[in-house]
Amino acid sequence: MAFPEPKPKKPELPKKLVQTLECKQGAVRAVRFNVDGNYCLTCGSDKSLKLWNPHKGTLLKTYSGHGYEVLDAAGSFDNSQLCSCGADKTVVLWDVASGQVIRKFRGHAGKVNCVQFNEEATVILSGSIDSSVRCWDCRSRRPDPIQILDEAKDGVSSLKVSDYEILSGSVDGRVRRYDLRAGELYSDYVGSPVTSVCFSKDGQCTLAASLDSTLRLLDKDTGELLGEYTGHKNTAYKLDCCLSEKDTHVASCSEDGQVYFWDLVEGSLTLSLPVGRGVVQSLSFHPSEPGLLTASEGRVQFWREETHTAEEQPPAC
């Protein structure tokens, strides 16, 4: 006789503060987990990029080479390289271990808002205020992009990449999805400047945040509006949104110093997490566990679920 499967545990949300990183790099423009969630990157208004272990609260390395504030960063699948972009109009490829700049890609006509690696970390994609997405070959020495996607009518604010798709959000109020297998472009009009886009983990949906203080969940294939999430404040700044590690909840930064969580299916507000007094500008959800990084003013905070117990810290020698 087969025993019934144990009842799945209710998804837990990160609401317990376990670490605070005083980043000392001016305003933190973006915080990003690496691919396995063991490390994170912080982008500073003081032109620096920093690599941390947020679980222990330790700074591992500082990367200096941008000429103006750093706006976004990403790590490669094997953790050997980083890419970053900034208000100096450049995209930079870094060697993680040495901290050295491998390549600097110039070509955007304005500040670069967002950057992503493809899955194999052979191509970097960057989105800029100049209304273009540019694709850069990490392995060749050629200075020009291998492709320019210039369909946006206004600045590109956010970018995500799957194994065969590019998802971009633009100030022109559209979410665009480039299907590289089919050679198709799908465009969905949201009607308000889009500040952040992301794929759901199951690849069926896209989430878009816009400056009418609304998050929208869209069916990826049909563009059908599946859900709207409101209650937070986002009318002036480029703020991040994301989905929890199991697609159960939708999360968003807010200009009122909180992070808001909604039930994905019901659309009801589940949790408002008081982070600080200033705008919560950036967030990053752990890829496989209920962990959340938030950036507000000059610090990053790491939140875990209530039942989380920290690993025993070895005594300091």
Side-chain angles (χ1 to χ4, degrees), residues 45-67:
S45 64
D46 73 344
K47 315 179 198 173
S48 74
L49 175 67
K50 292 188 177 183
L51 176 69
W52 305 79
N53 179 332
H55 304 271
K56 293 182 177 163
T58 49
L59 174 64
L60 302 172
K61 211 164 190 66
T62 301
Y63 301 84
S64 303
H66 274 286

Side-chain angles (χ1 to χ4, degrees), residues 280-291:
V280 183
Q281 182 147 20
S282 181
L283 55 76
S284 184
F285 212 96
H286 192 285
S288 58
E289 295 171 5

Side-chain angles (χ1 to χ4, degrees), residues 4-314:
E5 287 287 312
K7 197 174 171 198
K9 284 195 304 203
K10 262 188 77 142
E12 291 190 272
L13 290 176
K15 51 175 100 167
K16 181 168 81 172
L17 180 62
V18 291
Q19 286 289 355
T20 299
L21 312 176
E22 296 293 346
C23 297
K24 298 188 174 66
Q25 52 184 155
V28 178
R29 295 296 181 216
V31 59
R32 301 285 180 253
F33 269 115
N34 75 323
V35 66
D36 56 16
N38 292 333
Y39 305 100
C40 72
L41 295 161
T42 56
C43 306
S45 64
D46 73 344
K47 315 179 198 173
S48 74
L49 175 67
K50 292 188 177 183
L51 176 69
W52 305 79
N53 179 332
H55 304 271
K56 293 182 177 163
T58 49
L59 174 64
L60 302 172
K61 211 164 190 66
T62 301
Y63 301 84
S64 303
H66 274 286
Y68 209 61
E69 58 183 6
V70 188
L71 297 175
D72 196 13
S76 64
F77 71 98
D78 60 358
N79 293 324
S80 68
Q81 295 180 330
L82 306 173
C83 62
S84 62
C85 64
D88 59 1
K89 308 180 191 174
T90 66
V91 174
V92 181
L93 176 66
W94 307 84
D95 179 67
V96 168
S98 68
Q100 298 298 304
V101 173
I102 302 171
R103 293 285 308 278
K104 244 185 197 186
F105 300 101
R106 294 182 174 88
H108 279 295
K111 71 176 185 179
V112 188
N113 287 323
C114 44
V115 70
Q116 289 272 297
F117 277 112
N118 69 337
E119 288 228 2
E120 298 83 31
T122 52
V123 176
I124 297 172
L125 296 101
S126 56
S128 164
I129 198 171
D130 69 7
S131 310
S132 74
V133 173
R134 290 172 192 247
C135 309
W136 312 91
D137 187 342
C138 300
R139 297 174 298 181
S140 93
R141 305 305 299 170
R142 41 185 290 196
D144 47 330
I146 47 178
Q147 191 169 3
I148 300 175
L149 309 173
D150 56 4
E151 285 76 17
K153 305 290 185 284
D154 207 330
V156 177
S157 60
S158 182
L159 199 57
K160 292 292 185 295
V161 182
S162 75
D163 53 355
Y164 66 95
E165 300 160 300
I166 301 165
L167 186 68
S168 75
S170 169
V171 181
D172 67 10
R174 288 187 178 274
V175 177
R176 292 177 175 84
R177 183 171 63 89
Y178 299 84
D179 186 319
L180 305 177
R181 282 181 190 165
E184 298 276 357
L185 164 60
Y186 302 91
S187 175
D188 291 304
Y189 186 56
V190 168
S192 173
V194 177
T195 62
S196 179
V197 292
C198 59
F199 289 108
S200 59
K201 300 284 186 298
D202 65 7
Q204 302 296 307
C205 309
T206 57
L207 181 68
S210 51
L211 288 181
D212 55 358
S213 299
T214 306
L215 270 65
R216 292 175 177 86
L217 187 70
L218 305 172
D219 184 291
K220 196 178 78 175
D221 295 323
T222 65
E224 181 190 351
L225 182 63
L226 301 175
E228 286 192 307
Y229 310 92
T230 54
H232 64 300
K233 181 169 187 279
N234 184 10
T235 57
Y237 294 91
K238 170 179 151 25
L239 304 184
D240 290 336
C241 65
C242 67
L243 289 110
S244 62
E245 87 283 8
K246 292 196 174 88
D247 281 345
T248 55
H249 289 83
V250 170
S252 173
C253 296
S254 179
E255 289 161 19
D256 63 7
Q258 304 193 78
V259 169
Y260 287 78
F261 286 92
W262 296 266
D263 185 288
L264 178 125
V265 178
E266 294 174 6
S268 54
L269 185 63
T270 311
L271 171 68
S272 55
L273 187 67
V275 172
R277 287 196 300 274
V279 175
V280 183
Q281 182 147 20
S282 181
L283 55 76
S284 184
F285 212 96
H286 192 285
S288 58
E289 295 171 5
L292 179 77
L293 292 169
T294 58
S296 180
E297 296 160 322
R299 72 173 64 91
V300 164
Q301 291 169 305
F302 185 31
W303 308 80
R304 291 298 304 246
E305 70 278 21
E306 293 275 23
T307 56
H308 173 73
T309 50
E311 295 107 49
E312 285 299 307
Q313 296 284 338

